[in-house]
Amino acid sequence: MKRFVFGLWLSLLGFLGTMTCLVCAVEHGCDYNGLSGMWGGFMETRLTLPVLVSMLVLVLGLFLAGRESRQDGKGRE
């Protein structure tokens, strides 16, 4: 149960980090060496690495919570 809650917290933190980076990139949309739109915003504000890391944390948390929820019903203590 503790791992399930930990996975949910990780996924929540990853989601919040991803949304923060997305909002920041959309607000600061610009043209970066011919790249425009959200990708140009990520490049200009240097949020490419943070958004990838936060997406990885989101997926890892969802994977951990999903794995633990499936193993809870199998008689594991």
Side-chain angles (χ1 to χ4, degrees):
M1 185 67 176
K2 290 180 184 178
R3 289 184 189 167
F4 177 72
V5 173
F6 179 68
L8 287 179
W9 276 108
L10 271 181
S11 61
L12 178 67
L13 288 175
F15 177 76
L16 290 176
T18 302
M19 286 299 119
T20 302
C21 291
L22 285 174
V23 166
C24 187
V26 168
E27 285 181 355
H28 298 98
C30 62
D31 189 16
Y32 183 81
N33 289 338
L35 293 173
S36 60
M38 196 180 314
W39 188 249
F42 283 143
M43 300 287 280
E44 179 67 27
T45 57
R46 297 182 184 196
L47 288 174
T48 308
L49 185 62
V51 78
L52 291 177
V53 168
S54 60
M55 287 177 128
L56 179 68
V57 169
L58 172 66
V59 170
L60 184 68
L62 288 174
F63 174 75
L64 185 64
R67 195 177 104 204
E68 287 300 313
S69 70
R70 289 180 53 90
Q71 290 179 354
D72 273 349
K74 293 186 179 178
R76 195 176 133 224
E77 295 185 32

